[in-house]
Amino acid sequence: MPQTHPVDQVPPVRQLAAFGLQHVLAMYAGAVAVPLIVGGAMKLPPADLAYLITADLLVCGIATLIQCIGVWRFGIRLPIVQGCTFAAVSPMVLIGTEGGGLPAIYGAVIVAGLAMMLLAPVFGRLLRFFPPLVTGTVILIIGLSLLPTAGTWAAGGAGSKNFGEPKNLALAAFVLVLVLGVQRFAPPALSRVAVLVGIVVGTAVAIPTGFTDFGAVGDANWVGISTPFHFGAPEFHGAAIVSMLIVALVTMTETTGDFIAVGEMTERPVDRRALADGLRADGFSTVLGGVFNTFPYTAFAQNVGLVGMTKVRSRWVVAVAGGILVVLGLLPKLGAVIAAIPSPVLGGAGLVMFGTVAASGLKTLSKVEFEGNANLTVVAVSVALGVLPVGVPTLYEKFPHWFQTVMDSGISAGCITAIVLNLVFNHLPQKGGSADTPVEATDVPVVPAQAAPSAEASVK
């Protein structure tokens, strides 16, 4: 009798609940950030902001369930958590404030989602351009791009009045040490929920020390159901659609990197068909977002780090996380409880998770041959261009909006650079050579259409 792959194994119910909740806590702050930023820029009243958040959580949950469980040719069937993409924030703010409001945003989002579904098979055929040299570089860039987010959380959260105060960093350090201590010294069953333990204990410590309170929980409604086109029928404006189509291409590029990372970490490498199925689910979830008053969806890299750190590879764990998100979207009062978790607590846990992503990229790159070729240059330049917009956020503000959409995302900038440089240095004829010049074996992706051999690595 063949042994069930760890991705398909179903842990006991208690572990499912704990591991699933851990994924929700890891992604919650990022999940609600996009509706808060877009709604805040449009100066929406608090009731509308709350509506955007509950709608977002609901569709996050549905999208995650589709991605993990799979329905026909929709869903990659890996432990992938879905959330709103930050790549769409700037274009959506521009559309919302100057180009037609929320109806214009949702019209563009629906068109972008349909385009993603149609383009999914095309992206599936591009998998051969992601050998270990490229995938390792992209995974490394994903981790490095996320670390500033963890640092911002640790300092108190963006816009916090006490940003950077020593007490914030002390709480983040306490959570970080606690997560590491649990992972190192606790029994295996407990070490796998080290992040959950760190967040729960850190929040418990934060309450009496004045970091947070749960006053907003009492004001939240018990039930909140998102209805289609709550803010009016979608409007289809040409400029808005074009900008959102660019976002769709960027999102698909980023998501491809996340899928490949999780595939390597779970020892179930992503093949062409699986990639297309995952991207098709992304597109469908984005269409759902436009219908149910939220935004484009993508794989959440935060949770990629959690998969690698905990070594819990079951997709059913993340499916439970999707179920929890659906409940949070229907019960705003529960969402308010999780929203009360202080940013420094999330920052302490995030440093471990996001650092794990970067380390996983290094592990993948360890399989690449760097002697007698230009692979080191490919990695160096790709990482440099990927990290630049993270370290200097205003670097491209004088450029056209479409260019900013692509290059302001360190992940997409680094991914595109890695693909192009790998082609230039490893697939074009060498100096004085011919078109038949052999390519290093480490740079030729071997991805059979059916079951692929394991390409070991680790980590939304």
Side-chain angles (χ1 to χ4, degrees):
M1 185 175 179
Q3 188 176 3
T4 304
H5 192 283
V7 168
D8 298 319
Q9 290 176 356
V10 182
V13 174
R14 285 197 304 178
Q15 291 183 12
L16 275 173
F19 294 152
L21 179 59
Q22 188 170 234
H23 272 284
V24 171
L25 296 179
M27 61 82 70
Y28 189 88
V32 301
V34 173
L36 281 174
I37 294 170
V38 175
M42 295 178 63
K43 296 181 170 53
L44 296 180
D48 286 347
L49 276 177
Y51 195 96
L52 287 180
I53 291 172
T54 54
D56 175 34
L57 293 173
L58 176 65
V59 180
C60 273
I62 295 172
T64 299
L65 287 168
I66 294 172
Q67 201 67 271
C68 295
I69 297 174
V71 179
W72 187 52
R73 296 297 303 277
F74 292 82
I76 197 168
R77 295 167 174 83
L78 284 174
I80 296 286
V81 175
Q82 296 285 104
C84 283
T85 174
F86 283 85
V89 168
S90 296
M92 289 193 301
V93 168
L94 196 64
I95 296 168
T97 55
E98 301 177 15
L102 286 173
I105 291 177
Y106 295 140
V109 167
I110 290 171
V111 173
L114 293 172
M116 291 169 71
M117 293 168 66
L118 293 173
L119 289 172
V122 177
F123 263 74
R125 296 189 187 96
L126 298 179
L127 194 60
R128 63 193 181 93
F129 296 114
F130 287 85
L133 174 63
V134 173
T135 58
T137 302
V138 172
I139 296 169
L140 174 60
I141 292 170
I142 291 172
L144 295 177
S145 298
L146 288 170
L147 284 172
T149 300
T152 300
W153 289 346
S160 171
K161 294 180 180 178
N162 60 354
F163 187 87
E165 287 192 7
K167 66 174 186 177
N168 291 337
L169 297 174
L171 178 58
F174 167 75
V175 173
L176 172 61
V177 171
L178 181 61
V179 169
L180 295 175
V182 171
Q183 190 176 21
R184 173 63 181 86
F185 298 108
L190 190 60
S191 67
R192 291 177 180 173
V193 290
V195 171
L196 177 61
V197 172
I199 291 175
V200 170
V201 174
T203 303
V205 170
I207 295 172
T209 52
F211 279 92
T212 189
D213 64 70
F214 290 87
V217 176
D219 299 330
N221 295 325
W222 275 106
V223 179
I225 300 175
S226 180
T227 55
F229 308 126
H230 174 79
F231 295 99
E235 298 176 5
F236 301 95
H237 298 179
I241 290 172
V242 170
S243 66
M244 207 55 63
L245 287 174
I246 295 171
V247 168
L249 293 174
V250 173
T251 300
M252 294 176 81
T253 304
E254 292 182 356
T255 302
T256 298
D258 289 329
F259 285 167
I260 292 172
V262 173
E264 292 187 344
M265 294 167 186
T266 57
E267 298 183 4
R268 177 177 276 179
V270 175
D271 60 21
R272 189 168 70 184
R273 173 171 173 157
L275 176 58
D277 290 350
L279 293 174
R280 194 177 290 111
D282 256 17
F284 179 73
S285 301
T286 297
V287 173
L288 273 185
V291 173
F292 285 94
N293 320 292
T294 179
F295 308 114
Y297 283 84
T298 186
F300 251 33
Q302 291 95 314
N303 299 83
V304 174
L306 189 56
V307 171
M309 177 187 163
T310 62
K311 304 297 190 293
V312 176
R313 294 178 282 179
S314 172
R315 60 191 172 105
W316 298 104
V317 163
V318 178
V320 168
I324 294 172
L325 286 167
V326 170
V327 172
L328 292 177
L330 297 174
L331 302 176
K333 196 172 286 290
L334 290 181
V337 172
I338 294 180
I341 297 173
S343 290
V345 171
L346 296 173
L351 287 171
V352 186
M353 294 187 297
F354 304 162
T356 301
V357 179
S360 300
L362 295 176
K363 186 176 180 180
T364 301
L365 287 173
S366 69
K367 306 170 196 170
V368 177
E369 179 60 55
F370 287 100
E371 295 296 329
N373 55 43
N375 287 343
L376 195 62
T377 300
V378 174
V379 175
V381 176
S382 302
V383 170
L385 290 182
V387 172
L388 266 181
V390 178
V392 189
T394 58
L395 184 66
Y396 301 117
E397 65 177 5
K398 304 296 184 183
F399 285 75
H401 287 295
W402 67 266
F403 186 89
Q404 293 182 48
T405 300
V406 176
M407 298 301 292
D408 273 349
S409 166
I411 298 172
S412 64
C415 184
I416 293 169
T417 304
I419 292 172
V420 171
L421 292 182
N422 179 55
L423 290 174
V424 170
F425 284 104
N426 291 319
H427 292 269
L428 293 181
Q430 302 294 317
K431 295 176 183 176
S434 68
D436 298 326
T437 304
V439 182
E440 290 290 339
T442 52
D443 294 323
V444 180
V446 182
V447 188
Q450 303 298 321
S454 170
E456 187 179 323
S458 86
V459 168
K460 218 210 38 133

mmCIF file of all heavy atoms in Angstrom, residues 254-278:
data_model
loop_
_atom_site.group_PDB
_atom_site.id
_atom_site.type_symbol
_atom_site.label_atom_id
_atom_site.label_comp_id
_atom_site.label_asym_id
_atom_site.label_seq_id
_atom_site.Cartn_x
_atom_site.Cartn_y
_atom_site.Cartn_z
ATOM 1 N N GLU A 254 5.006 36.745 -8.901
ATOM 2 C CA GLU A 254 5.298 36.544 -7.481
ATOM 3 C C GLU A 254 4.745 35.208 -6.996
ATOM 4 O O GLU A 254 5.415 34.460 -6.275
ATOM 5 C CB GLU A 254 4.680 37.682 -6.660
ATOM 6 C CG GLU A 254 5.315 39.040 -6.868
ATOM 7 C CD GLU A 254 4.685 40.100 -5.985
ATOM 8 O OE1 GLU A 254 3.718 39.793 -5.272
ATOM 9 O OE2 GLU A 254 5.167 41.246 -6.012
ATOM 10 N N THR A 255 3.518 34.918 -7.380
ATOM 11 C CA THR A 255 2.870 33.693 -6.917
ATOM 12 C C THR A 255 3.610 32.462 -7.421
ATOM 13 O O THR A 255 3.729 31.459 -6.704
ATOM 14 C CB THR A 255 1.405 33.657 -7.387
ATOM 15 O OG1 THR A 255 0.729 34.804 -6.885
ATOM 16 C CG2 THR A 255 0.697 32.411 -6.883
ATOM 17 N N THR A 256 4.121 32.522 -8.655
ATOM 18 C CA THR A 256 4.909 31.414 -9.180
ATOM 19 C C THR A 256 6.104 31.131 -8.279
ATOM 20 O O THR A 256 6.404 29.963 -7.970
ATOM 21 C CB THR A 256 5.389 31.729 -10.614
ATOM 22 O OG1 THR A 256 4.246 31.879 -11.466
ATOM 23 C CG2 THR A 256 6.272 30.618 -11.152
ATOM 24 N N GLY A 257 6.786 32.180 -7.836
ATOM 25 C CA GLY A 257 7.907 31.998 -6.910
ATOM 26 C C GLY A 257 7.472 31.365 -5.603
ATOM 27 O O GLY A 257 8.146 30.465 -5.068
ATOM 28 N N ASP A 258 6.336 31.806 -5.067
ATOM 29 C CA ASP A 258 5.833 31.237 -3.809
ATOM 30 C C ASP A 258 5.450 29.768 -3.978
ATOM 31 O O ASP A 258 5.743 28.933 -3.116
ATOM 32 C CB ASP A 258 4.608 32.029 -3.324
ATOM 33 C CG ASP A 258 4.972 33.416 -2.828
ATOM 34 O OD1 ASP A 258 6.092 33.569 -2.307
ATOM 35 O OD2 ASP A 258 4.162 34.339 -2.966
ATOM 36 N N PHE A 259 4.782 29.444 -5.083
ATOM 37 C CA PHE A 259 4.387 28.056 -5.338
ATOM 38 C C PHE A 259 5.614 27.144 -5.408
ATOM 39 O O PHE A 259 5.641 26.058 -4.819
ATOM 40 C CB PHE A 259 3.611 27.955 -6.650
ATOM 41 C CG PHE A 259 2.199 28.469 -6.586
ATOM 42 C CD1 PHE A 259 1.476 28.694 -7.750
ATOM 43 C CD2 PHE A 259 1.583 28.725 -5.372
ATOM 44 C CE1 PHE A 259 0.177 29.161 -7.711
ATOM 45 C CE2 PHE A 259 0.279 29.199 -5.322
ATOM 46 C CZ PHE A 259 -0.425 29.421 -6.487
ATOM 47 N N ILE A 260 6.627 27.585 -6.155
ATOM 48 C CA ILE A 260 7.829 26.774 -6.302
ATOM 49 C C ILE A 260 8.524 26.600 -4.955
ATOM 50 O O ILE A 260 9.006 25.510 -4.613
ATOM 51 C CB ILE A 260 8.775 27.412 -7.335
ATOM 52 C CG1 ILE A 260 8.147 27.334 -8.730
ATOM 53 C CG2 ILE A 260 10.133 26.729 -7.327
ATOM 54 C CD1 ILE A 260 8.902 28.084 -9.791
ATOM 55 N N ALA A 261 8.543 27.679 -4.150
ATOM 56 C CA ALA A 261 9.163 27.595 -2.821
ATOM 57 C C ALA A 261 8.464 26.568 -1.949
ATOM 58 O O ALA A 261 9.105 25.708 -1.328
ATOM 59 C CB ALA A 261 9.125 28.975 -2.153
ATOM 60 N N VAL A 262 7.138 26.622 -1.897
ATOM 61 C CA VAL A 262 6.397 25.674 -1.066
ATOM 62 C C VAL A 262 6.547 24.256 -1.620
ATOM 63 O O VAL A 262 6.668 23.287 -0.854
ATOM 64 C CB VAL A 262 4.908 26.069 -0.980
ATOM 65 C CG1 VAL A 262 4.110 25.003 -0.259
ATOM 66 C CG2 VAL A 262 4.758 27.399 -0.265
ATOM 67 N N GLY A 263 6.564 24.125 -2.942
ATOM 68 C CA GLY A 263 6.748 22.813 -3.534
ATOM 69 C C GLY A 263 8.060 22.181 -3.122
ATOM 70 O O GLY A 263 8.125 20.979 -2.801
ATOM 71 N N GLU A 264 9.117 22.973 -3.099
ATOM 72 C CA GLU A 264 10.415 22.452 -2.689
ATOM 73 C C GLU A 264 10.449 22.151 -1.198
ATOM 74 O O GLU A 264 11.008 21.138 -0.760
ATOM 75 C CB GLU A 264 11.513 23.448 -3.054
ATOM 76 C CG GLU A 264 11.719 23.589 -4.558
ATOM 77 C CD GLU A 264 12.911 24.431 -4.916
ATOM 78 O OE1 GLU A 264 13.415 25.155 -4.038
ATOM 79 O OE2 GLU A 264 13.348 24.369 -6.074
ATOM 80 N N MET A 265 9.841 22.998 -0.413
ATOM 81 C CA MET A 265 9.865 22.806 1.031
ATOM 82 C C MET A 265 9.058 21.600 1.483
ATOM 83 O O MET A 265 9.368 20.971 2.484
ATOM 84 C CB MET A 265 9.353 24.062 1.718
ATOM 85 C CG MET A 265 10.276 25.227 1.503
ATOM 86 S SD MET A 265 9.502 26.755 1.983
ATOM 87 C CE MET A 265 10.773 27.884 1.433
ATOM 88 N N THR A 266 8.002 21.313 0.750
ATOM 89 C CA THR A 266 7.161 20.170 1.111
ATOM 90 C C THR A 266 7.590 18.905 0.370
ATOM 91 O O THR A 266 6.974 17.850 0.518
ATOM 92 C CB THR A 266 5.681 20.453 0.761
ATOM 93 O OG1 THR A 266 5.577 20.759 -0.629
ATOM 94 C CG2 THR A 266 5.152 21.615 1.580
ATOM 95 N N GLU A 267 8.652 19.027 -0.443
ATOM 96 C CA GLU A 267 9.164 17.900 -1.238
ATOM 97 C C GLU A 267 8.105 17.369 -2.207
ATOM 98 O O GLU A 267 8.027 16.172 -2.477
ATOM 99 C CB GLU A 267 9.698 16.789 -0.333
ATOM 100 C CG GLU A 267 10.870 17.248 0.511
ATOM 101 C CD GLU A 267 11.463 16.132 1.356
ATOM 102 O OE1 GLU A 267 11.010 14.978 1.228
ATOM 103 O OE2 GLU A 267 12.373 16.423 2.145
ATOM 104 N N ARG A 268 7.284 18.276 -2.708
ATOM 105 C CA ARG A 268 6.382 17.955 -3.809
ATOM 106 C C ARG A 268 6.575 19.040 -4.868
ATOM 107 O O ARG A 268 5.827 20.030 -4.916
ATOM 108 C CB ARG A 268 4.928 17.898 -3.350
ATOM 109 C CG ARG A 268 3.955 17.644 -4.510
ATOM 110 C CD ARG A 268 2.516 17.519 -4.069
ATOM 111 N NE ARG A 268 2.220 16.171 -3.619
ATOM 112 C CZ ARG A 268 1.024 15.789 -3.151
ATOM 113 N NH1 ARG A 268 0.045 16.663 -3.066
ATOM 114 N NH2 ARG A 268 0.830 14.545 -2.759
ATOM 115 N N PRO A 269 7.606 18.891 -5.700
ATOM 116 C CA PRO A 269 7.916 19.930 -6.695
ATOM 117 C C PRO A 269 6.720 20.239 -7.590
ATOM 118 O O PRO A 269 5.944 19.358 -7.954
ATOM 119 C CB PRO A 269 9.066 19.312 -7.500
ATOM 120 C CG PRO A 269 9.671 18.302 -6.587
ATOM 121 C CD PRO A 269 8.546 17.760 -5.768
ATOM 122 N N VAL A 270 6.606 21.508 -7.943
ATOM 123 C CA VAL A 270 5.484 21.975 -8.759
ATOM 124 C C VAL A 270 5.782 21.698 -10.225
ATOM 125 O O VAL A 270 6.826 22.100 -10.738
ATOM 126 C CB VAL A 270 5.263 23.484 -8.524
ATOM 127 C CG1 VAL A 270 4.195 24.021 -9.455
ATOM 128 C CG2 VAL A 270 4.887 23.738 -7.068
ATOM 129 N N ASP A 271 4.862 21.011 -10.903
ATOM 130 C CA ASP A 271 5.019 20.803 -12.335
ATOM 131 C C ASP A 271 4.162 21.807 -13.100
ATOM 132 O O ASP A 271 3.491 22.661 -12.506
ATOM 133 C CB ASP A 271 4.694 19.359 -12.735
ATOM 134 C CG ASP A 271 3.253 18.957 -12.398
ATOM 135 O OD1 ASP A 271 2.408 19.861 -12.238
ATOM 136 O OD2 ASP A 271 2.983 17.749 -12.293
ATOM 137 N N ARG A 272 4.194 21.700 -14.415
ATOM 138 C CA ARG A 272 3.526 22.697 -15.255
ATOM 139 C C ARG A 272 2.019 22.736 -15.011
ATOM 140 O O ARG A 272 1.419 23.806 -14.909
ATOM 141 C CB ARG A 272 3.800 22.363 -16.731
ATOM 142 C CG ARG A 272 3.344 23.425 -17.695
ATOM 143 C CD ARG A 272 3.903 23.157 -19.077
ATOM 144 N NE ARG A 272 3.284 21.996 -19.699
ATOM 145 C CZ ARG A 272 3.655 21.509 -20.879
ATOM 146 N NH1 ARG A 272 4.669 22.065 -21.525
ATOM 147 N NH2 ARG A 272 3.035 20.473 -21.399
ATOM 148 N N ARG A 273 1.420 21.560 -14.894
ATOM 149 C CA ARG A 273 -0.025 21.510 -14.698
ATOM 150 C C ARG A 273 -0.414 22.087 -13.338
ATOM 151 O O ARG A 273 -1.385 22.846 -13.225
ATOM 152 C CB ARG A 273 -0.513 20.064 -14.820
ATOM 153 C CG ARG A 273 -1.980 19.908 -14.455
ATOM 154 C CD ARG A 273 -2.495 18.539 -14.792
ATOM 155 N NE ARG A 273 -3.866 18.370 -14.285
ATOM 156 C CZ ARG A 273 -4.740 17.506 -14.766
ATOM 157 N NH1 ARG A 273 -4.402 16.728 -15.773
ATOM 158 N NH2 ARG A 273 -5.942 17.405 -14.250
ATOM 159 N N ALA A 274 0.340 21.723 -12.293
ATOM 160 C CA ALA A 274 0.020 22.218 -10.949
ATOM 161 C C ALA A 274 0.138 23.736 -10.882
ATOM 162 O O ALA A 274 -0.687 24.411 -10.255
ATOM 163 C CB ALA A 274 0.936 21.561 -9.916
ATOM 164 N N LEU A 275 1.184 24.282 -11.536
ATOM 165 C CA LEU A 275 1.348 25.735 -11.544
ATOM 166 C C LEU A 275 0.160 26.409 -12.209
ATOM 167 O O LEU A 275 -0.382 27.398 -11.694
ATOM 168 C CB LEU A 275 2.645 26.105 -12.256
ATOM 169 C CG LEU A 275 2.920 27.609 -12.424
ATOM 170 C CD1 LEU A 275 2.958 28.314 -11.080
ATOM 171 C CD2 LEU A 275 4.221 27.829 -13.189
ATOM 172 N N ALA A 276 -0.261 25.875 -13.345
ATOM 173 C CA ALA A 276 -1.416 26.454 -14.042
ATOM 174 C C ALA A 276 -2.674 26.363 -13.183
ATOM 175 O O ALA A 276 -3.461 27.315 -13.114
ATOM 176 C CB ALA A 276 -1.630 25.737 -15.381
ATOM 177 N N ASP A 277 -2.865 25.238 -12.491
ATOM 178 C CA ASP A 277 -4.041 25.081 -11.630
ATOM 179 C C ASP A 277 -4.026 26.096 -10.484
ATOM 180 O O ASP A 277 -5.068 26.660 -10.117
ATOM 181 C CB ASP A 277 -4.092 23.658 -11.059
ATOM 182 C CG ASP A 277 -4.408 22.618 -12.124
ATOM 183 O OD1 ASP A 277 -4.768 23.007 -13.247
ATOM 184 O OD2 ASP A 277 -4.285 21.413 -11.827
ATOM 185 N N GLY A 278 -2.842 26.308 -9.904
ATOM 186 C CA GLY A 278 -2.733 27.273 -8.811
ATOM 187 C C GLY A 278 -3.000 28.693 -9.262
ATOM 188 O O GLY A 278 -3.714 29.455 -8.605
#
